[in-house]
Amino acid sequence: MLSNSHDFIRPADEAERAYLESLVRVDYDRSHPGETFDDMKRRCSFSREDQGLYRDWLAAAAMRAEGARASEPTSIAA
């Protein structure tokens, strides 16, 4: 996971952010009993630890998205 605060994912728009979050939301919720991904997002505004967690989870989501794009078949236009 990324840990350098200068090296993180910046989604192009809210649609991309929502897509990336959807890729990791269930895993976060499973691995943090008693809280949700949205709980962590709310704490980001005042917690540096949660800012870092959010950044790392988005980085994991971006890697998943890249893997999904790489595994999609490419069409060759004739």
Side-chain angles (χ1 to χ4, degrees), residues 12-48:
D13 54 26
E14 284 305 309
E16 182 182 7
R17 179 179 304 281
Y19 170 67
L20 291 174
E21 289 177 357
S22 74
L23 295 175
V24 294
R25 182 178 301 276
V26 172
D27 290 334
Y28 180 91
D29 292 348
R30 276 193 206 136
S31 64
H32 294 82
E35 74 172 56
T36 66
F37 190 83
D38 289 328
D39 293 336
M40 186 246 324
K41 278 182 60 177
R42 277 191 290 281
R43 291 190 306 263
C44 282
S45 64
F46 57 87
S47 169
R48 290 184 126 178

Side-chain angles (χ1 to χ4, degrees), residues 1-2 9 20 23-24 54-66:
M1 296 267 175
L2 299 175
I9 305 304
L20 291 174
L23 295 175
V24 294
Y54 182 73
R55 182 180 61 239
D56 289 347
W57 279 95
L58 275 191
M63 286 187 272
R64 285 183 182 176
E66 184 62 33

Side-chain angles (χ1 to χ4, degrees), residues 1-10 55-56 59:
M1 296 267 175
L2 299 175
S3 62
N4 184 340
S5 63
H6 300 287
D7 187 20
F8 58 94
I9 305 304
R10 292 189 180 157
R55 182 180 61 239
D56 289 347

